[in-house]
């Protein structure tokens, strides 16, 4: 092997534990970067898909947690009696839910049975599913992620305890596992069944958490976004109408501001990696001052010594970066974890381009980490360095 | 085989520490003929190592001139000095300063990386240098597998491998026992007599100084005494 490369390789393995720990310190933030980027991109893809669905979301003006009267629906529908521009209005009420003796929370929504299939055509794709939905008041559409988590399948009878009134267990019949829907974790059932249960328990009826409105075109979307709010202006139940992308984005942001927090997390961990790698390179420099001074006394220029240190830093961080990018890539594309689901995201897609970016970030970490000791080596005065060792 | 004359004229060197000027060399004049083996003696702080560093181009004089062969060192830039050192000077340090992760042969080969030459030529030069210092059978040993004397021999081979004009040794036997010191000094004698190298060696040891042709005594930065030594031949030194 070429002596230059051999020297570099031997320097990398000179203190194996230190090198391995530095690689790990770089790999971990890279894993976090790759995963968070995949989640953020998946979330953005979800929002883009929501934007393509030409749907409006209508909530109570002050807060999403305040319900709206179900009676708003005919008033909204009256804005377009032909039904050509305002295709369907679907009221929804969130009940959350869980199954008995299981702490895992569910996201379950009661929806208007008649307009749900038109409003959300990505569900109930087959005729027999649609027929079961219409026929059976206790029909339940489950997300495929939920099906995977709880082992539920079409035809199963399941009991869900709502997190809100009526609080009493409700029995459902699974009619679909919504294989093609973008949201894998939400369950849907008929609102008339909920109203029936609320009536039995004496809890307030006739309320919805929000409406989803399917429009005929982008122009209709823009038109009704304004028209609906104008319709209920100055009424006791004023509305806030947004397109689905804005609504979902606001909902997620209010809940946990996922994209921003993930980006902050990734940035902070990358910064920590820079500090860890810089610390290693500084320790290496301190350990080898006499060696660098000797090389310079032999006629090795500052540039050569600079390149040596930077190469070592780059290689260490590149190794960490490649390992950090490879771990999530392999896990989420070649192991059973590829079926792992994240709320709102269909599939955690670890794109090779993101892995490439991650390796570039690792190289940048290497450059930054090696910058200070490399500069010190360039400035190293041979006589001073050798004297300090005597 | 090459050697160079060394000439120092009115050389002054002042170090500054916390704004205080510390004169180390004060108008030193010195001439060493090509192929001479000169030793430098004097108490600590007399300027021996500083003079060695100035002649080796590791430091620049505050005043005066230093000439080694055709090179007027005080006029050269840092970059020029670095390039000049690689071709004309071989350093030997008290603590050897070998690269611990490289073998003896690889340590000796290091300075040759700065030269445009084939791998075969490099290997040949390394083998020759190690043969001269008597370590042909230790080429693949790492420094931690060698004794102190052997490490210093590798350092000498490393200083020799580029065929420099001048070899500068800073207390090369300071860390060795008497017998090993004698072996190293005999080796330096050999480089001087057989290969004609100009050698300037700093030492505290009068016995070591006896191996040179001249001993220059420094005191407070000036040349106190220039003493011609009775020549010790390689054969005599070996005996």
């Amino acid at each position: 092997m070429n002596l230059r490369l051999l020297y570099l390789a031997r320097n990398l393995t000179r203190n194996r534990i230190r090198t391995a720990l530095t690689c790990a310190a770089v790999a971990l933030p890279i894993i976090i970067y790759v995963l968070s980027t995949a989640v953020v991109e998946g979330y953005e893809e979800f929002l883009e898909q929501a934007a393509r669905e030409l749907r409006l979301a209508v909530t109570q003006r002050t807060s999403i947690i305040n319900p709206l009267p179900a009676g708003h629906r005919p008033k909204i529908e009256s804005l377009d009696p032909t039904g050509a521009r305002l295709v369907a209005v679907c009221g929804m009420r969130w009940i959350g839910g869980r199954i008995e003796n299981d702490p895992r929370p569910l996201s379950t929504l009661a929806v208007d049975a008649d307009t749900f299939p038109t409003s959300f055509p990505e569900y109930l794709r087959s005729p027999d599913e649609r027929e079961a939905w219409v026929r059976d008041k206790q029909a339940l559409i489950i997300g495929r992620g939920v099906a995977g988590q709880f082992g539920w399948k079409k035809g199963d009878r399941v009991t869900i305890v709502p997190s809100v009134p009526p609080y009493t267990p409700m029995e459902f019949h699974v009619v679909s596992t919504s294989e093609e829907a973008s949201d894998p974790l939400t369950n849907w059932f008929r609102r008339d069944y909920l109203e029936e249960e609320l009536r039995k328990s004496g809890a307030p009826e006739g309320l919805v958490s929000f409406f989803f409105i399917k429009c005929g075109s982008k122009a209709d979307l823009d038109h009704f976004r304004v028209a609906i709010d104008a319709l209920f202006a100055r009424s006791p139940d004023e509305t806030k109408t947004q397109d689905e992308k804005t609504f979902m984005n606001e909902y997620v942001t209010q809940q946990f501001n996922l994209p921003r927090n993930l980006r902050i997390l990734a940035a902070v961990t990358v910064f920590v990696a820079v500090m860890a790698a810089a610390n290693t390179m500084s320790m290496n420099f301190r350990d080898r001052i006499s060696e660098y001074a000797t090389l310079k006394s032999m006629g090795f220029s500052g540039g050569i010594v600079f390149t040596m240190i930077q190469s070592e830093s780059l290689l260490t961080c590149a190794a960490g970066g490649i390992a950090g990018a490879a771990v999530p890539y392999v896990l989420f594309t070649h192991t059973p974890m590829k079926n792992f689901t994240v709320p709102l995201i269909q599939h955690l897609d670890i794109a090779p381009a993101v892995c490439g970016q991650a390796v570039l970030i690792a190289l940048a970490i290497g450059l930054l980490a090696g910058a200070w000791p490399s500069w010190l080596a360039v400035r190293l005065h041979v006589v001073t360095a050798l004297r300090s060792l005597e | 085989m090459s050697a160079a004359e060394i000439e120092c004229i009115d050389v002054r060197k002042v170090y500054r520490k916390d704004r205080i000027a510390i004169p180390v060399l004060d108008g030193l004049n010195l001439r060493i003929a090509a192929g001479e083996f000169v030793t430098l003696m004097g108490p600590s702080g007399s300027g021996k190592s500083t003079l060695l560093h100035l002649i080796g181009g590791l430091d620049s004089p505050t005043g005066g001139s230093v000439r080694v062969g055709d090179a007027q060192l005080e006029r050269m830039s840092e970059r020029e000095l670095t390039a000049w050192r690689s071709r004309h000077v071989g350093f030997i340090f008290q603590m050897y300063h070998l690269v611990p992760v490289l073998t003896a042969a690889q340590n000796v080969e290091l300075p040759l990386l700065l030269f445009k030459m084939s791998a075969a030529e490099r290997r040949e030069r390394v083998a020759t240098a190690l043969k001269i210092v008597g370590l042909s059978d230790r080429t693949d040993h790492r420094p931690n597998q060698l004794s102190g004397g052997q490490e210093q021999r590798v350092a000498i081979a490393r200083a020799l491998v580029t065929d420099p004009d001048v070899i500068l040794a800073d207390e090369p036997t300071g860390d060795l026992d008497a017998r090993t010191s004698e072996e190293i000094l005999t080796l330096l004698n050999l480089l001087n007599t057989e290969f004609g190298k100009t050698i300037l060696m700093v030492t505290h040891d009068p016995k070591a100084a006896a191996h040179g042709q001249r001993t220059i005594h420094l005191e407070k930065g000036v040349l106190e005494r220039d003493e011609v030594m009775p020549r010790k031949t390689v054969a005599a030194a070996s005996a």
Side-chain angles (χ1 to χ4, degrees):
Chain A
M1 189 196 276
N2 179 305
L3 183 58
R4 288 181 187 87
L5 293 177
L6 183 79
Y7 192 11
L8 184 60
R10 293 265 170 86
N11 277 340
L12 283 171
T13 54
R14 195 182 282 215
N15 190 328
R16 285 181 185 152
I17 292 176
R18 188 186 288 173
T19 306
L21 287 175
T22 309
C23 283
V26 174
L28 195 62
I30 294 300
I31 290 173
I32 291 171
Y33 171 82
V34 170
L35 288 178
S36 59
T37 304
V39 169
V40 170
E41 286 189 351
Y43 168 71
E44 281 167 355
E45 172 55 29
F46 169 78
L47 290 181
E48 288 308 314
Q49 192 162 335
R52 286 194 291 271
E53 295 296 340
L54 296 178
R55 282 191 290 250
L56 289 171
V58 182
T59 59
Q60 220 273 355
R61 188 179 173 184
T62 51
S63 169
I64 192 172
I65 61 169
N66 295 330
L68 285 168
H72 271 24
R73 175 178 159 179
K75 292 175 188 169
I76 295 169
E77 286 170 336
S78 71
L79 290 171
D80 178 30
T82 65
R85 299 172 63 203
L86 216 160
V87 180
V89 180
C90 182
M92 299 185 175
R93 186 154 184 191
W94 181 85
I95 67 156
R98 60 180 178 78
I99 56 171
E100 281 184 314
N101 303 319
D102 193 320
R104 288 175 289 179
L106 292 166
S107 175
T108 309
L109 286 161
V111 297
D112 289 346
D114 56 336
T115 51
F116 178 74
T118 315
S119 304
F120 291 84
E122 61 268 36
Y123 292 93
L124 302 171
R125 304 284 285 194
S126 69
D128 64 313
E129 284 180 357
R130 280 199 294 276
E131 197 269 326
W133 174 257
V134 171
R135 189 188 64 241
D136 185 358
K137 193 180 279 184
Q138 291 170 283
L140 179 72
I141 302 164
I142 59 169
R144 65 179 180 287
V146 175
Q149 282 172 23
F150 291 88
W152 294 344
K153 58 187 184 305
K154 227 154 89 170
D156 282 357
R157 285 171 177 270
V158 298
T159 302
I160 294 175
V161 183
S163 311
V164 293
Y167 297 118
T168 49
M170 295 174 71
E171 191 182 299
F172 295 99
H173 309 142
V174 178
V175 297
S176 169
T177 51
S178 52
E179 293 300 328
E180 294 172 48
S182 59
D183 179 358
L185 295 174
T186 301
N187 310 313
W188 315 82
F189 72 100
R190 289 172 50 158
R191 201 166 66 80
D192 49 350
Y193 178 38
L194 175 67
E195 291 291 315
E196 196 177 289
E197 293 297 306
L198 289 169
R199 203 172 304 128
K200 283 184 202 166
S201 68
E205 304 168 51
L207 297 171
V208 295
S209 303
F210 36 78
F211 291 99
F212 266 87
I213 295 161
K214 179 81 172 175
C215 295
S217 68
K218 178 75 171 58
D220 297 333
L221 201 77
D222 294 336
H223 171 74
F224 289 112
R225 188 172 57 228
V226 178
I228 292 168
D229 287 346
L231 178 67
F232 298 107
R234 289 177 296 281
S235 75
D237 294 295
E238 288 188 295
T239 56
K240 180 181 175 183
T241 306
Q242 300 165 292
D243 61 64
E244 189 172 321
K245 180 180 176 180
T246 312
F247 170 76
M248 287 296 183
N249 194 30
E250 197 173 274
Y251 176 74
V252 172
T253 305
Q254 279 176 356
Q255 292 287 306
F256 29 80
N257 206 346
L258 183 79
R260 192 197 67 177
N261 290 340
L262 284 177
R263 285 192 180 107
I264 290 173
L265 178 69
V268 168
T269 51
V270 165
F271 180 67
V272 170
V274 171
M275 289 196 292
N279 183 48
T280 297
M281 294 312 298
S282 295
M283 284 196 291
N284 287 348
F285 172 75
R286 203 178 53 211
D287 291 351
R288 301 179 201 161
I289 283 182
S290 68
E291 204 170 302
Y292 296 136
T294 309
L295 288 174
K296 290 181 89 170
S297 76
M298 283 192 263
F300 282 77
S301 66
I304 295 175
V305 180
F306 181 93
T307 308
M308 273 174 59
I309 297 175
Q310 277 292 7
S311 303
E312 189 178 336
S313 182
L314 280 172
L315 277 176
T316 305
C317 293
I322 290 168
V327 166
Y329 182 78
V330 171
L331 275 181
F332 288 95
T333 53
H334 293 95
T335 73
M337 281 189 76
K338 66 184 175 187
N339 298 320
F340 180 77
T341 52
V342 176
L344 306 179
I345 295 169
Q346 286 195 59
H347 171 62
L348 202 60
D349 184 22
I350 309 290
V354 173
C355 295
Q357 283 170 15
V359 174
L360 288 178
I361 287 173
L363 290 174
I365 292 172
L367 276 178
L368 286 172
W372 179 242
S374 305
W375 177 244
L376 287 179
V378 169
R379 305 285 302 162
L380 184 73
H381 192 256
V382 179
V383 173
T384 312
L386 293 174
R387 277 220 174 101
S388 69
L389 298 164
E390 285 171 1
Chain B
M1 202 165 83
S2 57
E5 183 185 61
I6 299 167
E7 187 177 46
C8 301
I9 301 171
D10 194 25
V11 170
R12 280 171 289 116
K13 180 67 187 177
V14 179
Y15 286 113
R16 293 196 172 272
K17 194 173 184 185
D18 301 330
R19 294 185 185 175
I20 298 168
I22 304 166
V24 182
L25 293 176
D26 191 13
L28 185 130
N29 292 291
L30 173 69
R31 188 170 175 187
I32 299 170
E36 228 179 342
F37 184 170
V38 176
T39 56
L40 273 174
M41 291 191 77
S44 292
S46 58
K48 308 181 297 292
S49 293
T50 299
L51 180 61
L52 200 77
H53 294 149
L54 292 178
I55 291 169
L58 292 177
D59 212 348
S60 303
T62 311
S65 71
V66 179
R67 182 176 61 80
V68 179
D70 298 329
Q72 204 67 50
L73 303 192
E74 77 281 359
R75 291 180 195 161
M76 291 164 77
S77 67
E78 181 83 33
R79 186 185 292 251
E80 288 168 335
L81 281 173
T82 302
W84 174 79
R85 276 199 306 272
S86 68
R87 275 152 179 77
H88 299 281
V89 186
F91 284 99
I92 302 165
F93 301 102
Q94 182 182 347
M95 300 307 296
Y96 333 128
H97 294 314
L98 299 178
V99 178
V101 289
L102 298 180
T103 64
Q106 288 159 352
N107 265 288
V108 175
E109 190 183 343
L110 265 182
L112 296 180
L113 293 179
L114 300 167
F115 290 75
K116 278 183 185 167
M117 62 174 67
S118 67
E121 191 181 348
R122 279 208 304 270
R123 274 197 301 275
E124 191 186 322
R125 280 214 191 196
V126 169
T128 305
L130 284 169
K131 189 177 174 189
I132 290 169
V133 300
L135 283 180
S136 294
D137 57 341
R138 295 283 189 275
T139 54
D140 293 330
H141 287 59
R142 288 201 188 183
N144 64 356
Q145 297 166 324
L146 299 171
S147 68
Q150 287 171 331
E151 281 192 80
Q152 194 59 293
R153 283 168 184 267
V154 175
I156 292 170
R158 183 179 64 186
L160 180 68
V161 74
T162 56
D163 189 25
D165 306 329
V166 178
I167 290 178
L168 302 175
D170 197 352
E171 300 194 52
T173 58
D175 203 43
L176 301 173
D177 60 48
R179 186 179 164 182
T180 314
S181 295
E182 196 57 36
E183 288 171 7
I184 294 298
L185 292 165
T186 304
L187 184 55
L188 290 175
N189 264 130
L190 179 84
L191 298 184
N192 175 245
T193 54
E194 300 296 312
F195 298 93
K197 299 294 171 196
T198 307
I199 297 178
L200 183 58
M201 178 178 80
V202 169
T203 182
H204 278 109
D205 180 5
K207 281 185 186 171
H211 283 262
Q213 293 156 359
R214 270 166 75 197
T215 297
I216 292 165
H217 296 265
L218 293 185
E219 180 74 46
K220 293 180 181 171
V222 294
L223 201 154
E224 189 203 43
R225 201 165 76 244
D226 191 343
E227 193 180 2
V228 177
M229 309 298 285
R231 184 67 189 178
K232 209 172 187 179
T233 62
V234 175
S238 306

